[in-house]
Amino acid sequence: MTSIGNDVFNGCSGLTSVKIGNSVTTIGDHAFSGCIGLTSVDIPNSVTSIGNYAFGDCSGLTNIIIEDGETPLSLGYNVDRSYADGQGLFYDCPIETLYLGRDLSYQIDQRYGYSPFYGIKSLKEVTIGNSVSRIGPYAFQNCSGLKSVHISDMAAWCNIKFSNKYSNPLAYAHHLFLNGEEVIDLVIPNSVTSIGNYAFEGCNGLYSVFIPYSVTSIGDYAFYACQSISEVIIEDGEISLKLGYNNYVDTGTGEGLFYDCPLKTLYIGRNLSYKAHYQYGYSPFVRRYISYLKDVTIGSSVTSVGAYAFRNCSLSSLTIKDGSEILNFDRDSFEGCSIQSLYLGRNVSPSQCFSGNSTLTSLAFGNFIKSIEDGAFKNCSGLASVVLPMGLTSVNESAFENCSALTSVTIPGGVRYIRSGAFKGCSSLESVNMINPIPAVIEEDSFDFQGTLNVPAESKMYYWIHPLWSKFPELEAWNVGSDVDFAENSVTYHITSEENATVEITAATLMARSVGDLTIPEAIRFNDKMYTVTGIANNAFRDMMFESVELPQTIAYVGLNAFSGCTALRSLTVNALMPPSVARESFDDTVFASATLFMPEVSREEYENDPVWGLFVSKDIAVGLDDLDAMNDGEIEVYDLKGVKIADGLKGLPKGIYIVRRGSQVSKIAI
């Protein structure tokens, strides 16, 4: 049998169950009409159409299973009313549970009752199979009794195309279950590339959402009426994520994608694309009258933040994770936004986007920050204390001008320039703490020159005789960092910061006097903790007989007389990408004349134009271990600095300075 004909079981009130065979392809008009004893129907995937009135007056039918299948099932209607609302196919059935295993096709018109399940208030539970790719308009409109929606594959659910806001049963059920467990913390699988329109509409059971790097778009109304979502994490990625909207209003203010969500915590791991216009709600995270958003983190992969992104938000904290690339903000990204705590892990543009934020009371920096740009925190009247980052080289014009509550600022060893107006108008400034043993270049109005200037004890005289630093009314010597010193491999270290785990080199031991080569590590272990080596103190290597010295990338400053009297020095390799802060007195004239300075190739111009590093008569490019493979091609002869041949290749050579001949080409390299 391939079909169940018209009226075959019409009025069979005693029929309580029916099994439809897999050979059946059609069910005719009125086929089961009036079967009041029928409680459950299983429609196999072989059936492709069900006629009009097929289940009319089936007042006992509470369970319907439409089996999984690839072919859409065409459904008729229950009542055709041209003059008023009609009735969908199952209108007369008090359905409580529904399994929908494939797409449905039906007439979408009020004349035919909009949809097969329209207005069935008895419906409590819907299960959606993995073969469903589309759910039509009004499918579950006014099914107000729905309590739960069940699925077994989140990726399949995300790919469903819901035709309108009434297509998704979650609009009424509010609770989504995955393999029997309610979805509270939503994790989108990595196989998903797009989240469709209305995908999680009305899902009030959701409290957090994780969107992986694989997702490139989220449709309109995807989180409409999700009134419990407090956390959204958008995973790091290189491909931008396109976001839809929550509501479009042609003549007024619309709603952004997460408008209905009481977001408190947000992580943005990549660039976002959205319609930054009032008709679409300005941005995905803006609410019209109130914002719950408190903690925002912007990941290292993000290169730009769009217009109005955090408009009128009152943020407790904003964290911009460390990165070497400038983060670009639209000029209106923070329009009307107040921020209490800011961690700045990299430079931003425009640099003044946080200026004038009177609520900012806590400010911290990452070590990728090389300069505090013009006017960056001007008029941030709530700042009381600032510790600038270890990698910093300059504080530019008006950077902290008129920060009237600022009482203390700590300036790290690598800072070489403090520009005009940098701390002008900081009327409450009580202490300026300098880590650099070398006085930085300042201008007449860099400070108001009030309070106490604390400087490294061994450099007090140099600050005291300086024409501008000496204008501070009080000049005090202080021991930078802790009181802890320790020795490792013939070098003495002083802990400059326990919090940042940094040390400076203060001296070389007597044993080091007999060592021809000295290589300073980037980090050193002490008491099971790694400390970054950031500086060389005054007089650290004075009168030492080193022939070659290599300094790591982490070095930010070289103190006064640090290499004074090092008459044997012939090679100095500095791996820092930014030239460390250094004084003319750090080296003797004989060193400038006789030693070769090796520097990173990418920083050659900076070193050559530096007023001190540029004094080295002989300068060359440092060749690191990454370059050895390229240099091993062809026949190579290696000589020491005395001209004695020591090898026919670079492999296996210890760190040091060598002369390399390849054919007629001769060069000096540092390994």
Side-chain angles (χ1 to χ4, degrees), residues 644-665:
V644 178
K645 183 178 178 180
I646 58 174
D648 288 318
L650 296 173
K651 289 184 177 178
L653 288 177
K655 286 188 176 183
I657 309 301
Y658 302 95
I659 298 171
V660 173
R661 179 191 295 275
R662 180 165 51 183
S664 60
Q665 181 182 359

Side-chain angles (χ1 to χ4, degrees), residues 395-471:
V395 183
N396 291 342
E397 292 186 12
S398 303
F400 293 94
E401 185 175 344
N402 294 333
C403 290
S404 55
L406 190 63
T407 60
S408 171
V409 58
T410 299
I411 300 175
V415 172
R416 306 184 67 178
Y417 304 99
I418 301 176
R419 304 296 187 186
S420 174
F423 295 96
K424 182 180 179 181
C426 296
S427 56
S428 300
L429 195 59
E430 298 174 357
S431 64
V432 177
N433 307 311
M434 300 298 297
I435 294 177
N436 198 336
I438 305 167
V441 176
I442 61 173
E443 301 182 31
E444 289 282 353
D445 62 346
S446 296
F447 296 90
D448 289 341
F449 297 104
Q450 67 199 52
T452 301
L453 175 64
N454 296 306
V455 301
E458 70 275 12
S459 298
K460 184 175 180 180
M461 180 186 69
Y462 298 100
Y463 281 88
W464 183 68
I465 64 175
H466 192 280
L468 293 178
W469 286 109
S470 60
K471 293 173 68 174

